[in-house]
Amino acid sequence: MPTFPSRPFRGSSSAPNLAAAYRTSLAKHPFLLFGLPFIATMVAGSFFLTPATAIRYEKHDRKVRQLSKEEELGLKGGGRRVDLNEEYYRLAAKDLDDWENKRVKRLDGENDGIL
């Protein structure tokens, strides 16, 4: 009798039942163990995250609608007309050399920068 028999050992746990058939099919087809759950997770995640994305865009649409309503009421328009030449001469007429440096009052407990 040879030392190692030609037939593999089959214990009681590898009897022809559902669990054994599942285990052998996973060994033959690893896609069922790794690929299928991954793809199922991606598809399920897409379906579960769709409402969250929709809420984000609906909130943005509500903000845009509020802005358009304020513009309809005329809150944005109505400022004075700006003439480039007029602004140039108005700024040129200012005396920029005569100024005084004034310190701003600091808040309580804030460092005033004086050594």
Side-chain angles (χ1 to χ4, degrees):
M1 179 166 162
T3 307
F4 298 107
S6 60
R7 297 180 317 181
F9 173 74
R10 300 190 193 276
S12 64
S13 64
S14 63
N17 60 13
L18 183 62
Y22 180 72
R23 197 172 28 238
T24 57
S25 68
L26 280 181
K28 291 179 185 176
H29 308 288
F31 174 77
L32 296 176
L33 181 62
F34 299 107
L36 192 61
F38 177 74
I39 292 175
T41 302
M42 292 296 116
V43 171
S46 172
F47 282 111
F48 286 123
L49 290 177
T50 300
T53 307
I55 289 171
R56 175 182 170 213
Y57 289 115
E58 288 171 3
K59 183 179 177 185
H60 176 67
D61 288 344
R62 272 188 255 127
K63 281 185 179 180
V64 170
R65 276 194 217 107
Q66 283 180 340
L67 268 178
S68 65
K69 287 179 183 177
E70 289 175 2
E71 289 176 1
E72 288 175 6
L73 293 174
L75 296 177
K76 188 173 182 180
R80 69 178 181 93
R81 298 198 58 143
V82 177
D83 182 24
L84 194 57
N85 289 331
E86 178 186 334
E87 289 295 317
Y88 173 76
Y89 290 121
R90 188 176 64 84
L91 291 174
K94 286 189 175 185
D95 185 19
L96 298 178
D97 294 330
D98 185 27
W99 60 276
E100 182 181 338
N101 191 10
K102 296 182 181 179
R103 290 190 60 86
V104 177
K105 184 179 178 187
R106 307 293 182 184
L107 297 173
D108 294 335
E110 187 176 4
N111 185 8
D112 62 353
I114 298 175
L115 297 176

